[in-house]
Amino acid sequence: MKQQLEIKNLSVKVEETEILKDLNLTLPRGEVHAIMGPNGTGKSTLAKALAAHPDYEITSGEVLLDGENVLEMEVDERARAGLFMAFQYPSEIPGVSIANFLRAATQARLAEDEELEATQFYKRLYEKMDMLQIDRKFTSRAINEGFSGGEKKRNEILQMAMLEPKYAIMDETDSGLDIDALRIVSEGVNKLRGPERGILLITHYQRILEYIVPDHVHVMWNGRIVKSRGKELALELEKRGYDWIKEEFAEPAAKA
Ligand code: ADP
Ligand code: MG
């Protein structure tokens, strides 16, 4: 069995419109892949479909996590199988502290008869926070309430560090970050890279890829992956923009 997240011929509809069309992508563990593409091309739709968001209807295709069929799993089963999502617009959870949230999330990943001990949990939490250089005060704050863009992202990275997923999908982790926050978040992601983990970074801009250097870059256009190459593709997109992709892959009707 191959240790990889395999997306095969995935088609997804949102409100009767087909957004993803026969999308194929393989993310092996140990690698970092980037998906780039113009706005509105379906990048977030892919992330949401993998997270089982109810507005996104999967009309065909398969997603295999180390050979297991992800699309048949409930949301919590997906997390337990090792899939992690960090979202473009994470929501606020008023009144729930980061520490309690992480504790519940960590507990949810254990088998039913396993109990997460408080001392053990905090030991691990503080280790991860030290690694990511996050202040201890941070954990008593409510999830995303009044967080800056940078703090939201750090919280996501901390979640990821605690859950140690096999595959992490990060949608626009760079959006709304100033250069310092971008560097801190990128360092965090780089610390979480490793042979046991595949990371899929979804981004519109090349900038974050200067800090998190991907093994492969995929370009999404019109609901499909239309180009896959090494990291140099990101630089080419930065220089040339997306228009040449649009021209090259325009539907025949749109081209005329
Ligand atoms: P990207 O992340 O690449 O910018 P999205 O996946 O957010 O693109 O959107 C792709 C297309 O799907 C857009 O045309 C968008 O308007 C549409 N879309 C996405 N989510 C919804 C939704 N919940 N309801 C209606 N249309 C949606
Ligand atoms: Mg998006």
Side-chain angles (χ1 to χ4, degrees):
M1 175 201 63
K2 287 219 175 111
Q3 297 205 316
Q4 56 189 24
L5 184 69
E6 234 183 317
I7 302 167
K8 293 204 245 178
N9 302 104
L10 189 69
S11 296
V12 174
K13 253 190 195 172
V14 186
E15 293 184 351
E16 298 308 306
T17 310
E18 191 172 53
I19 306 290
L20 298 188
K21 300 156 187 162
D22 256 340
L23 183 134
N24 287 287
L25 181 75
T26 299
L27 172 68
R29 276 208 239 165
E31 294 188 7
V32 176
H33 289 207
I35 295 186
M36 300 183 72
N39 284 325
T41 210
K43 302 184 300 297
S44 294
T45 298
L46 173 63
K48 286 178 182 159
L50 293 176
H53 190 298
D55 292 351
Y56 298 77
E57 185 197 344
I58 290 161
T59 52
S60 69
E62 252 191 323
V63 179
L64 302 175
L65 186 159
D66 298 347
E68 275 188 274
N69 188 345
V70 169
L71 300 180
E72 278 176 4
M73 298 178 194
E74 301 292 334
V75 184
D76 59 324
E77 287 177 288
R78 295 181 193 202
R80 240 176 284 137
L83 193 60
F84 175 86
M85 308 275 172
F87 275 105
Q88 191 170 354
Y89 304 109
S91 39
E92 295 188 6
I93 315 181
V96 176
S97 73
I98 290 181
N100 280 332
F101 175 81
L102 288 174
R103 203 168 160 193
T106 312
Q107 176 72 55
R109 293 278 308 274
L110 300 176
E112 268 177 40
D113 54 351
E114 253 181 287
E115 188 64 41
L116 182 69
E117 252 187 81
T119 48
Q120 220 186 325
F121 167 75
Y122 278 100
K123 183 167 170 277
R124 199 145 143 255
L125 179 62
Y126 290 148
E127 271 169 23
K128 303 291 185 189
M129 290 176 79
D130 289 347
M131 175 182 83
L132 299 171
Q133 293 169 290
I134 296 175
D135 197 289
R136 298 269 157 108
K137 283 197 293 260
F138 191 67
T139 50
S140 52
R141 293 182 56 186
I143 293 276
N144 289 341
E145 214 177 11
F147 275 20
S148 69
E151 285 170 335
K152 283 185 184 174
K153 301 300 168 180
R154 287 184 125 193
N155 177 38
E156 287 175 3
I157 308 286
L158 180 59
Q159 272 181 49
M160 182 170 149
M162 285 302 285
L163 297 176
E164 299 180 335
K166 293 176 182 144
Y167 302 96
I169 295 167
M170 319 192 77
D171 191 9
E172 306 269 349
T173 295
D174 45 345
S175 72
L177 299 189
D178 62 29
I179 201 77
D180 289 331
L182 182 66
R183 205 160 37 222
I184 289 166
V185 163
S186 303
E187 275 172 20
V189 173
N190 282 330
K191 283 181 180 155
L192 298 174
R193 287 178 94 144
E196 288 306 310
R197 181 163 305 131
I199 297 177
L200 188 61
L201 274 180
I202 298 176
T203 181
H204 177 74
Y205 297 106
Q206 199 278 121
R207 201 176 60 158
I208 194 170
L209 305 180
E210 287 172 20
Y211 298 96
I212 307 171
V213 180
D215 298 295
H216 288 280
V217 175
H218 309 277
V219 179
M220 194 190 286
W221 162 241
N222 203 10
R224 291 187 180 92
I225 300 293
V226 294
K227 254 185 206 304
S228 297
R229 276 201 257 143
K231 57 178 186 277
E232 70 285 353
L233 180 55
L235 290 172
E236 193 176 345
L237 289 167
E238 184 72 359
K239 255 189 251 135
R240 297 176 66 191
Y242 288 114
D243 283 352
W244 61 288
I245 299 276
K246 294 183 192 177
E247 275 163 33
E248 195 172 328
F249 295 96
E251 310 272 336
K255 224 177 204 169

